[in-house]
Amino acid sequence: MSLEDAPTVATFGEALWDCASEGLFLGGAPFNVAFHAARLGAKALPITCVGDDLLGDQVIDRARLAGMSVDLIKRHDILETGVAIARLDEQGNASYDIRYPSAWDEISLDSAERETVLKADALVYGSLATRSEPSRYCLERLLQSFGGSKICDVNLRPPYDDLKRALHFARLADVVKLNSEELYRLIAATPERFDLEDAIRECSLLLGVNELLVTLGAEGAIRYANEKMSRVTPRPVQVKDTIGAGDSFTAAFAVYRLKGREANVALKNAADLGAYVASSRGAQPHYDPARIGLE
């Protein structure tokens, strides 16, 4: 498939720098999705805002280098480019101190830019970008008009983890992706009350969406659609850090489905790419999809 014929994946939300002990890594969940969508052969259209600063310059330069469109990466003349302090536990799992406010808290689009987004095949967004009213308003307007596949990544990052708001935006999606911890938080239950499959069914009913993707770390992922469960396990890897692994999963599932692959093939590719990213440093390692075994 040529790039001209490739599907377009638009992503809405934060572009920021993860500050870890090993250095600065470009990230932000929607921006990571755009990076991996481009690596997988899609047209990637990140919708975000960065500061008029050196880190903002680097976001745009890196986006161009990765093959993403930079047409909808806006510059803010007051707020700075986003930064998150990432801390890793002994298993390589990350927690974050996400600075507020940042430029991506004020994402806006004019009418011509909105029309560009509405032509995309998929729109991927997360709950974190809804923490501020300007970006929240911009996203909601897009979702009201968007006719392609709407994919919500539930991304509960304390203290920006308002459950009511997360539920609202998840209900506007066609596909919702979340991890097992977020799954139980959304349904206000524990594994002792619901086993995993029952919790997934409960969440599907709560959200009113037909397709749920639940990531399980090294144990793989589950897809629930049309009242059926499908589970895959990724190839084993030595985990270095989990930053961005879930975002690469989202990107792979979206791109391979848009390319016409069977859902279970897309799910396996997504799990394998997530494992590969977890075996690398940072959220955006460079790779050739074929060389790491993606179909």
Side-chain angles (χ1 to χ4, degrees):
M1 178 182 290
S2 68
L3 188 58
E4 183 177 341
D5 300 324
T8 299
V9 177
T11 67
F12 184 101
E14 63 275 12
L16 52 79
W17 290 89
D18 291 317
C19 303
S21 58
E22 295 84 2
L24 286 174
F25 298 94
L26 182 54
F31 200 74
N32 291 336
V33 172
F35 171 87
H36 291 287
R39 296 299 300 170
L40 296 170
K43 298 175 185 175
L45 184 65
I47 307 158
T48 191
C49 187
V50 298
D52 186 15
D53 50 29
L54 179 61
L55 290 180
D57 293 342
Q58 283 294 303
V59 170
I60 292 174
D61 289 347
R62 298 282 189 94
R64 284 199 182 99
L65 187 63
M68 304 182 223
S69 168
V70 298
D71 293 346
L72 298 182
I73 302 178
K74 312 294 277 293
R75 305 298 293 259
H76 201 289
D77 56 3
I78 298 175
L79 295 176
E80 297 178 345
T81 300
V83 171
I85 309 301
R87 297 178 177 87
L88 302 178
D89 63 19
E90 293 180 357
Q91 288 73 46
N93 298 309
S95 60
Y96 302 90
D97 173 11
I98 305 168
R99 298 305 166 88
Y100 177 86
S102 297
W104 57 268
D105 287 303
E106 295 194 3
I107 300 172
S108 64
L109 296 171
D110 63 30
S111 58
E113 291 165 340
R114 287 183 72 251
E115 288 302 313
T116 297
V117 178
L118 295 179
K119 295 175 184 176
D121 298 291
L123 174 61
V124 179
Y125 63 97
S127 54
L128 182 58
T130 68
R131 71 178 184 174
S132 63
E133 194 279 333
S135 294
R136 185 163 64 243
Y137 173 75
C138 183
L139 176 59
E140 189 134 28
R141 285 195 65 204
L142 272 180
L143 292 172
Q144 289 169 354
S145 304
F146 191 75
S149 178
K150 292 175 283 192
I151 303 171
C152 177
D153 179 8
V154 176
N155 206 351
L156 300 178
R157 300 287 189 227
Y160 312 112
D161 53 353
D162 184 293
L163 289 181
K164 183 177 179 180
R165 191 161 60 235
L167 286 167
H168 170 71
F169 279 92
R171 286 169 174 153
L172 299 177
D174 303 305
V175 181
V176 173
K177 173 258 176 185
L178 67 174
N179 63 34
S180 58
E181 180 181 346
E182 291 161 342
L183 169 72
Y184 282 104
R185 284 201 62 195
L186 284 190
I187 66 172
T190 64
E192 290 74 30
R193 180 179 173 191
F194 288 102
D195 69 21
L196 182 60
E197 292 193 358
D198 285 342
I200 290 171
R201 294 186 186 95
E202 183 75 10
C203 189
S204 178
L205 290 172
L206 175 67
L207 298 179
V209 298
N210 185 52
E211 190 167 11
L212 285 180
L213 306 173
V214 181
T215 57
L216 307 170
E219 296 179 15
I222 292 177
R223 174 178 179 263
Y224 180 68
N226 301 315
E227 300 184 356
K228 295 181 180 179
M229 298 274 178
S230 302
R231 185 165 186 161
V232 297
T233 302
R235 60 179 63 94
V237 297
Q238 183 68 42
V239 173
K240 290 185 178 176
D241 71 56
T242 61
I243 297 173
D247 308 325
S248 66
F249 175 96
T250 304
F253 186 83
V255 170
Y256 283 106
R257 287 298 278 155
L258 290 173
K259 288 182 175 182
R261 302 296 175 85
E262 294 286 340
N264 284 349
V265 173
L267 189 68
K268 183 63 164 66
N269 281 338
D272 282 345
L273 181 56
Y276 174 81
V277 172
S279 73
S280 308
R281 292 292 183 195
Q284 298 180 13
H286 286 265
Y287 58 89
D288 179 335
R291 290 190 175 183
I292 63 172
L294 303 187
E295 300 179 23

